[in-house]
Amino acid sequence: MNEILSVIIFSIIILFIEIYSETHLKNYGRFIERIVYLLSIKTLFNLFKFSVLFGFGYVLLNLNESKILSETVSNKVVNIDFNNLAIYFIPTAIFSLMVILTNSKELFRQLEDYAIENETLNKIFANLKYIVFRIISYILTFFIFKCTLENIIKLHSYFTQNNLFVFDWLNINDSNIDNYNKGVYFSLLLTIIIFFLFNNSFIKKNSGDWQYREIKFDFLKYFFITTILCLGLFFGFFSIFNGLYNLLNSSLSIWISKENILGILPIRVSSLLIIIYLLTYIYKEILDKDIISFLMIGILPIRGLPNYKGNINFEKRETLFFSQISFYILNIALAEFFIIIGYKTIYLSILNFAILFILDDFKIINDYSQGLKRVLISHFIRVWLFNIIMIVVALILLSNEEYYIILTIYLIFTFILFRYYFKNFALINLQKII
């Protein structure tokens, strides 16, 4: 009986996520329209967002330690109980029946079939179409919820097995042993919050004024920027919190000495610098120097602000700066990844050196040339020489360790970034003397 009740509770949670997303996005209208917008970016993003929120709430509030809840999630949600499949649909069946009984005229107006002349038969078909839509919508929401919760539980279990917790970076012990994993969990949570905050704002910012369910193509550009930003922020946060953990568990002089010997301190500095540079770019070029409006749209349940209409332009000179800085972020992320897994090689040292050497140089070159308006040929060659070095070293590192999935992602992001770079390459004015 307890398991049945737990399944119904989880089904109600899934139904709530489904109905909230549908109501917020105004997914009403004819049957085909509802299906199309059910599979839209906005709906999928909302379903995933709330599934992630519940998933982390479930593990961080230690609800997974409850025997009844953990068994229900394991046996009824992650692994579907096909023998009692009808139980899953009880909440959505009750909700559908309530809507049909209380809103039958509006449903008939939206879902009627003009090819059927018999009004009674037409109403029956309209109700059946609504029920079919509800079933499809519930199954999609359940699938997203199930997959998200399953992977969050696995991730939390992995962290727990490796003694990694949300606030582990604040622990002080007497072992005097450095740890280069502490702070990962907290950094991940902060990054996820920022990812959803930014994309929530960008989705609203790129929605049609009247057809709110529609979304402008520009959102994909914003999504790409957010992905790069969050990649940099994750490793930037990790550099801060992990560095603080090791500093709290040793003296300043010992910490600096160890970090320098291992070649980690330069990467930490590079991570912080790159985030400052990228956040400055985003504040000026993406947020239109209006962060308050941006946060209001992202946090509050509103669809937009009347005077906030800024749009990104990927044809501007600043795109050159974004592309280059984002490429550095990819390589810093790669270097930090190998540090986290404890991998040491001469190629990693070369990558660390290349990043630290060219990063500040590029910022100086960019500022000196007023956004790459007038660039010395020698400066341009220096930047691209180190770009090539980083690409070659990254390929060697990932190929040697057979991280082919990461290698593929690295190459795809590099291709996209340099595509925009060379698309605006004509804006660079190369000169022998300035």
Side-chain angles (χ1 to χ4, degrees):
M1 185 64 185
N2 287 334
E3 284 192 353
I4 293 176
L5 182 61
S6 298
V7 170
I8 292 175
I9 291 173
F10 272 98
S11 297
I12 291 172
I13 292 171
I14 294 169
L15 178 64
F16 171 79
I17 294 173
E18 173 195 356
I19 298 304
Y20 175 83
S21 179
E22 179 181 315
T23 306
H24 184 67
L25 299 179
K26 300 180 180 179
N27 191 10
Y28 312 123
R30 305 193 65 77
F31 180 78
I32 297 300
E33 285 182 310
R34 290 176 181 241
I35 295 297
V36 168
Y37 288 114
L38 177 64
L39 301 174
S40 68
I41 292 175
K42 283 188 171 186
T43 303
L44 297 177
F45 176 79
N46 260 356
L47 298 179
F48 180 61
K49 176 178 65 179
F50 284 109
S51 297
V52 169
L53 177 64
F54 177 86
F56 276 109
Y58 175 75
V59 295
L60 294 179
L61 295 175
N62 297 322
L63 298 178
N64 55 322
E65 295 181 4
S66 166
K67 184 178 179 181
I68 296 176
L69 286 178
S70 62
E71 288 180 354
T72 301
V73 169
S74 177
N75 301 327
K76 305 294 184 180
V77 179
V78 174
N79 299 295
I80 301 171
D81 183 7
F82 289 99
N83 294 324
N84 298 293
L85 199 60
I87 299 173
Y88 294 88
F89 290 92
I90 290 176
T92 194
I94 294 173
F95 177 80
S96 300
L97 185 60
M98 289 173 58
V99 171
I100 289 172
L101 292 175
T102 59
N103 206 20
S104 58
K105 289 184 178 180
E106 182 61 23
L107 276 181
F108 178 66
R109 186 186 66 82
Q110 294 180 15
L111 299 173
E112 67 176 314
D113 191 332
Y114 295 103
I116 301 175
E117 295 181 358
N118 187 295
E119 186 176 348
T120 302
L121 191 60
N122 206 340
K123 286 182 179 180
I124 293 173
F125 273 104
N127 291 335
L128 285 175
K129 283 192 281 187
Y130 179 73
I131 292 171
V132 170
F133 169 74
R134 284 264 67 90
I135 292 172
I136 295 172
S137 180
Y138 178 80
I139 291 173
L140 174 65
T141 308
F142 185 92
F143 178 77
I144 292 174
F145 182 87
K146 167 192 174 304
C147 294
T148 304
L149 181 59
E150 180 181 5
N151 285 287
I152 288 175
I153 291 172
K154 287 180 180 179
L155 182 65
H156 181 76
S157 298
Y158 172 80
F159 284 149
T160 304
Q161 290 168 8
N162 289 275
N163 295 316
L164 299 174
F165 307 98
V166 176
F167 295 106
D168 55 8
W169 51 280
L170 291 174
N171 293 339
I172 299 177
N173 57 65
D174 299 325
S175 63
N176 202 32
I177 298 175
D178 293 328
N179 184 296
Y180 295 101
N181 293 322
K182 301 293 186 183
V184 167
Y185 206 160
F186 190 64
S187 301
L188 178 63
L189 287 178
L190 286 179
T191 304
I192 289 173
I193 291 171
I194 292 172
F195 175 82
F196 283 116
L197 173 64
F198 268 64
N199 277 302
N200 206 35
S201 295
F202 288 151
I203 280 180
K204 293 176 183 179
K205 190 176 181 181
N206 287 274
S207 299
D209 294 330
W210 297 102
Q211 296 294 329
Y212 184 71
R213 293 176 296 180
E214 297 178 355
I215 190 167
K216 299 174 186 175
F217 180 75
D218 275 357
F219 170 71
L220 297 179
K221 298 177 183 178
Y222 285 103
F223 182 82
F224 180 70
I225 290 172
T226 305
T227 303
I228 293 291
L229 171 65
C230 288
L231 184 66
L233 282 177
F234 171 74
F235 288 103
F237 288 145
F238 172 73
S239 291
I240 294 172
F241 299 124
N242 181 258
L244 183 60
Y245 170 83
N246 289 313
L247 179 59
L248 290 173
N249 288 279
S250 65
S251 65
L252 179 61
S253 58
I254 294 175
W255 178 74
I256 293 176
S257 177
K258 286 183 178 180
E259 296 267 316
N260 268 325
I261 291 173
L262 295 173
I264 297 174
L265 187 59
I267 288 298
R268 294 199 195 280
V269 174
S270 298
S271 297
L272 296 179
L273 287 176
I274 205 80
I275 289 305
I276 292 172
Y277 298 158
L278 185 60
L279 285 175
T280 302
Y281 167 83
I282 289 175
Y283 175 72
K284 291 180 179 178
E285 302 300 324
I286 311 300
L287 306 186
D288 306 312
K289 298 182 180 179
D290 187 2
I291 194 169
I292 295 177
S293 297
F294 181 82
L295 291 176
M296 285 178 63
I297 294 174
I299 297 173
L300 300 178
I302 57 177
R303 293 193 172 93
L305 295 173
N307 298 321
Y308 191 57
K309 300 289 184 182
N311 290 306
I312 183 173
N313 184 354
F314 256 47
E315 311 300 325
K316 296 172 63 177
R317 185 182 306 279
E318 288 76 10
T319 306
L320 298 165
F321 177 80
F322 167 77
S323 300
Q324 186 64 61
I325 286 293
S326 297
F327 176 68
Y328 294 150
I329 284 178
L330 285 181
N331 289 277
I332 288 173
L334 195 62
E336 295 248 27
F337 167 74
F338 282 112
I339 289 172
I340 290 173
I341 65 174
Y343 181 75
K344 297 179 180 66
T345 175
I346 184 64
Y347 294 112
L348 183 58
S349 299
I350 294 172
L351 182 62
N352 292 349
F353 169 78
I355 294 169
L356 185 64
F357 182 87
I358 197 60
L359 178 59
D360 200 44
D361 261 22
F362 172 73
K363 184 63 169 61
I364 294 171
I365 291 170
N366 182 77
D367 292 343
Y368 180 69
S369 61
Q370 296 178 326
L372 303 179
K373 288 180 181 178
R374 301 167 63 203
V375 184
L376 284 173
I377 295 177
S378 59
H379 289 170
F380 181 80
I381 292 174
R382 186 193 310 169
V383 170
W384 271 93
L385 174 63
F386 278 89
N387 284 348
I388 294 170
I389 291 173
M390 283 185 273
I391 291 174
V392 171
V393 172
L395 293 178
I396 293 173
L397 280 169
L398 293 171
S399 298
N400 286 349
E401 291 303 301
E402 299 183 353
Y403 290 129
Y404 296 122
I405 295 178
I406 299 177
L407 175 59
T408 302
I409 295 171
Y410 177 87
L411 290 175
I412 290 173
F413 272 75
T414 300
F415 172 79
I416 294 173
L417 290 171
F418 286 147
R419 176 185 176 277
Y420 280 112
Y421 186 95
F422 287 108
K423 189 176 180 181
N424 297 293
F425 183 74
L427 298 172
I428 299 177
N429 183 10
L430 297 176
Q431 297 185 358
K432 291 183 179 181
I433 302 175
I434 295 180

